[in-house]
């Protein structure tokens, strides 16, 4: 959602939007009127054979992904909230041409580096984000958009004598599209599965065995000593500045050893099975989360269509 803000405002917005960051896993949560008994949540059970040796999106194929907003749905919600922000700013005589940050599509790194192309071009560094040119921020816009005056914290914020909504136009827009539906405990259930299954998977015999095979392959490829495919991501030399002479060959060898040992599909298959069991245990909460997302998307469509779903 920070991407919907003008580029110069994102740093100031991080703290204010911290709660909204829950959407990274479960998506922004919501709940429409009425509470029928949730249906039992079901999800496919992918196995190592369901995906190629190398893939750009393992996270998106895991069972828990079925309980997240899709990229298109997230974009729809952001667009609706941005429309409401513009309307709110206009009430205070402020106009601003919001610039959306283009999404950088890099290969999924849940299991470490996976893209041969990215490895040879950037090593372990992420592909560069496209440059975005943002218009200058009009005087007073931050006060109205974020509800911050820079002084007298906690007191009512005003702009030219008019009261600003608590949290500013941004909070007002979020409240309209998703705030009424907030169920943080349900979003937390999805997030706990996503993080818990990952931690459990790294202790499973099949994953530990494929780690050892990958480690032996790396050692044979040039004396590179790493116990886990996540270890190179923590090497300071590989995370700062620009890719160096040692980084790119290491990254290329890393991805090639993953291919030879089938590390990615093996790890994916193990974690998928773990998630399947965890999802069954949280079936009611996850069904509610899916219903929540449908209500949120409906509200976003209503905003963009000029109506209301309520």
């Amino acid at each position: 959602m920070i991407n919907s803000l003008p580029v110069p405002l994102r740093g100031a917005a991080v703290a204010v939007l911290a709660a909204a960051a829950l959407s990274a896993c479960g998506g922004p949560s919501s709940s429409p009127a009425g509470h029928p008994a949730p249906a039992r949540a079901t999800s496919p059970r992918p196995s190592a054979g369901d995906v190629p040796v190398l893939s750009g999106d393992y996270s998106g194929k895991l069972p828990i992904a079925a309980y997240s907003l899709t990229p298109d749905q997230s974009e729809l919600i952001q667009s609706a909230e941005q429309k409401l922000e513009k309307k709110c700013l206009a009430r205070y005589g402020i106009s601003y041409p919001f610039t959306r940050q283009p999404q950088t599509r890099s290969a999924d790194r849940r299991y470490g580096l996976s893209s041969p192309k990215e490895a040879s071009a950037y090593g372990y560094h992420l592909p560069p984000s496209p440059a975005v040119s943002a218009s200058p921020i009009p005087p007073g816009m931050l006060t109205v958009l974020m509800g911050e005056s820079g002084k007298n914290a906690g007191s009512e914020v005003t702009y030219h004598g008019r009261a600003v909504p608590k949290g500013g136009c941004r909070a007002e827009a979020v409240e309209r599209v998703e705030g009424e539906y907030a169920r943080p405990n349900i979003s937390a259930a999805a997030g706990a599965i996503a993080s818990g299954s990952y931690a459990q998977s790294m202790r499973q015999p099949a994953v530990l065995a494929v780690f050892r095979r990958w480690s032996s392959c790396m050692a044979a490829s040039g004396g590179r000593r790493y116990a886990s495919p996540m270890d190179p991501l923590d090497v300071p030399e590989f995370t700062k500045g620009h890719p160096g002479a040692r980084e790119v060959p290491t990254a290329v060898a890393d991805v090639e050893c993953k291919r030879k040992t089938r590390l990615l599909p093996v790890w994916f298959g193990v974690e998928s099975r773990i998630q399947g069991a965890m999802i069954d245990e949280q079936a009611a909460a996850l069904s509610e989360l899916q219903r929540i997302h449908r209500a949120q998307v409906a509200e976003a469509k209503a905003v963009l269509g000029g109506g209301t779903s309520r």
Side-chain angles (χ1 to χ4, degrees):
M1 279 182 253
I2 291 176
N3 284 342
S4 69
L5 296 176
V7 175
L9 291 183
R10 286 192 204 125
V14 169
V16 177
L17 302 182
L22 288 173
S23 63
C25 173
S29 55
S30 48
S31 176
H35 296 278
R40 179 173 179 78
T42 58
S43 62
R45 300 288 191 265
S47 67
D50 293 333
V51 292
V53 173
L54 292 175
S55 169
D57 183 22
Y58 280 97
S59 294
K61 295 183 176 71
L62 284 166
I64 196 60
Y67 304 95
S68 298
L69 289 166
T70 68
D72 286 346
Q73 288 172 332
S74 294
E75 177 70 19
L76 185 76
I77 289 170
Q78 288 185 23
S79 296
E81 290 175 353
Q82 191 172 86
K83 178 180 178 179
L84 293 173
E85 289 167 9
K86 289 181 178 180
K87 290 178 67 175
C88 177
L89 288 171
R91 299 202 307 262
Y92 297 86
I94 298 174
S95 176
Y96 186 82
F98 284 82
T99 302
R100 187 71 59 84
Q101 172 71 43
Q103 297 298 311
T104 302
R105 297 288 183 179
S106 59
D108 181 59
R109 296 194 179 191
R110 185 173 183 86
Y111 306 131
L113 197 62
S114 65
S115 166
K117 182 178 180 180
E118 289 180 12
S120 60
Y122 310 110
Y124 290 96
H125 284 68
L126 290 171
S129 298
V132 176
S133 177
S135 302
I137 299 170
M141 179 174 165
L142 183 59
T143 297
V144 178
L145 182 64
M146 307 304 297
E148 299 173 347
S149 63
K151 55 185 177 181
N152 300 325
S155 61
E156 182 181 65
V157 177
T158 62
Y159 178 74
H160 289 179
R162 294 185 60 190
V164 172
K166 185 177 180 180
C169 291
R170 176 64 192 154
E172 183 178 274
V174 171
E175 177 68 19
R176 164 71 187 277
V177 178
E178 59 190 277
E180 178 180 328
Y181 309 134
R183 294 290 187 275
N185 58 318
I186 297 176
S187 289
I193 290 173
S195 58
S197 64
Y198 182 86
Q200 286 189 37
S201 72
M202 294 187 74
R203 299 191 294 268
Q204 301 305 305
V207 172
L208 293 174
V210 80
F211 278 10
R212 289 192 291 272
R213 294 195 296 273
W214 173 87
S215 182
S216 296
C217 177
M218 289 293 284
S221 71
R224 301 177 175 93
R225 305 292 178 181
Y226 301 105
S228 160
M230 307 310 290
D231 289 349
L233 300 178
D234 293 328
V235 176
E237 176 188 344
F238 297 166
T239 59
K240 298 178 180 178
H242 300 283
R246 190 168 74 95
E247 178 180 350
V248 169
T250 300
V252 170
D254 179 353
V255 175
E256 177 62 12
C257 285
K258 285 188 174 83
R259 185 192 66 79
K260 289 179 178 179
T261 61
R262 292 186 56 81
L263 184 148
L264 294 169
V266 168
W267 194 352
F268 170 83
V270 168
E271 187 176 13
S272 293
R273 289 189 286 275
I274 293 171
Q275 281 194 2
M278 296 174 80
I279 287 171
D280 287 343
E281 294 175 357
Q282 296 288 333
L286 293 172
S287 289
E288 174 73 355
L289 182 58
Q290 287 181 316
R291 188 168 67 90
I292 280 165
H293 287 164
R294 288 194 294 270
Q296 248 185 337
V297 169
E299 185 64 25
K301 289 180 178 178
V303 168
L304 293 172
T308 178
S309 66
R310 302 192 292 275

